[in-house]
Amino acid sequence: MESIVFDVGETLTRDDRYWGSWADWLGVPRHTLSALVGAVVAQGRDNADAVRLVRPGIDIDAERAAKEAAGAGEQLDETDLYEDVRPGLAALRDAGYGVHIAGNQTARAGTLLRGLELPADSISTSQEWGVAKPDPAFFARALQTAGTAPAQTLYVGDHPANDIAPARAAGLRTCLIRRGPWGHLWTGDAGIPADYRVDSILDLPDILARP
């Protein structure tokens, strides 16, 4: 293994603030929107469909711009990171791996993540690339950014359908991180074709060092 590419939401960052902001903007209880996000993803749908259920016909891009203009735009800081992120990424870099971050996020999220100065060689988002998971082109772009062959690249994520299955189909090695709603929901599913399963990024250096 030469490079490790990490998903963002519920892999590196908690999504509480993001969905809570949308619930407040839409004027619905946070629990309501959170439950709807869980329901649509469990049905194999886009998580943005939760917003569309609350407000049918909504133009999400236009609404996101309105949120930004009103000072209620996307925010992300150190408190949104899981506790193992900074030391875990640093440990992997110290072990000689290329560390990259690439997830289905907005361009603004990419800017905010880069502002945190994480120990990563690159930070990219789907909006910046113009292609999102599970599209194979997303993983092709991730490989291009990492500069390593698929078999020498590990993709780490919490979602079997958006992370594990399409990364594996693109030839990457895969790791399911068991946290966030999706990581917990599918923890015991033997049908998930992940090469590794971890509870913490700090588990990875030892696991990858094993023959």
Side-chain angles (χ1 to χ4, degrees):
M1 204 73 63
E2 297 178 6
S3 294
I4 304 172
V5 185
F6 288 89
D7 170 46
V8 178
E10 292 303 337
T11 295
L12 302 182
T13 64
R14 300 176 181 85
D15 282 346
D16 309 52
R17 189 207 296 255
Y18 178 81
W19 290 113
S21 171
W22 270 108
D24 295 346
W25 180 258
L26 296 169
V28 298
R30 292 189 170 198
H31 174 69
T32 297
L33 187 60
S34 178
L36 285 172
V37 171
V40 298
V41 173
Q43 292 170 0
R45 298 162 58 182
D46 182 355
N47 56 17
D49 283 347
V51 174
R52 298 183 182 101
L53 286 171
V54 170
R55 188 177 294 177
I58 189 173
D59 181 329
I60 291 180
D61 288 339
E63 203 71 21
R64 183 180 287 118
K67 284 173 86 265
E68 293 281 352
E74 193 170 4
Q75 299 296 322
L76 196 154
D77 60 31
E78 193 77 21
T79 65
D80 296 295
L81 297 175
Y82 279 102
E83 290 76 7
D84 61 335
V85 170
R86 196 173 287 279
L89 299 186
L92 289 167
R93 290 187 84 184
D94 290 344
Y97 298 103
V99 175
H100 304 272
I101 297 170
N104 279 359
Q105 266 71 39
T106 63
R108 176 172 172 79
T111 298
L112 293 170
L113 281 168
R114 286 186 286 271
L116 294 178
E117 298 185 349
L118 293 169
D121 298 294
S122 72
I123 297 175
S124 310
T125 69
S126 57
Q127 189 176 54
E128 291 168 333
W129 283 351
V131 63
K133 297 179 292 184
D135 192 316
F138 178 94
F139 295 95
R141 186 65 183 270
L143 289 169
Q144 180 184 23
T145 300
T148 47
Q152 280 71 55
T153 308
L154 180 71
Y155 194 81
V156 182
D158 67 303
H159 199 297
N162 270 359
D163 298 325
I164 304 305
R168 184 181 180 90
L172 286 76
R173 306 291 293 279
T174 58
C175 176
L176 177 72
I177 190 161
R178 293 175 292 210
R179 63 179 171 213
W182 323 127
H184 286 297
L185 180 62
W186 286 292
T187 292
D189 187 347
I192 298 173
D195 295 294
Y196 308 101
R197 288 174 171 79
V198 297
D199 296 311
S200 168
I201 295 171
L202 292 167
D203 296 336
L204 278 172
D206 286 344
I207 288 175
L208 296 178
R210 297 171 189 168

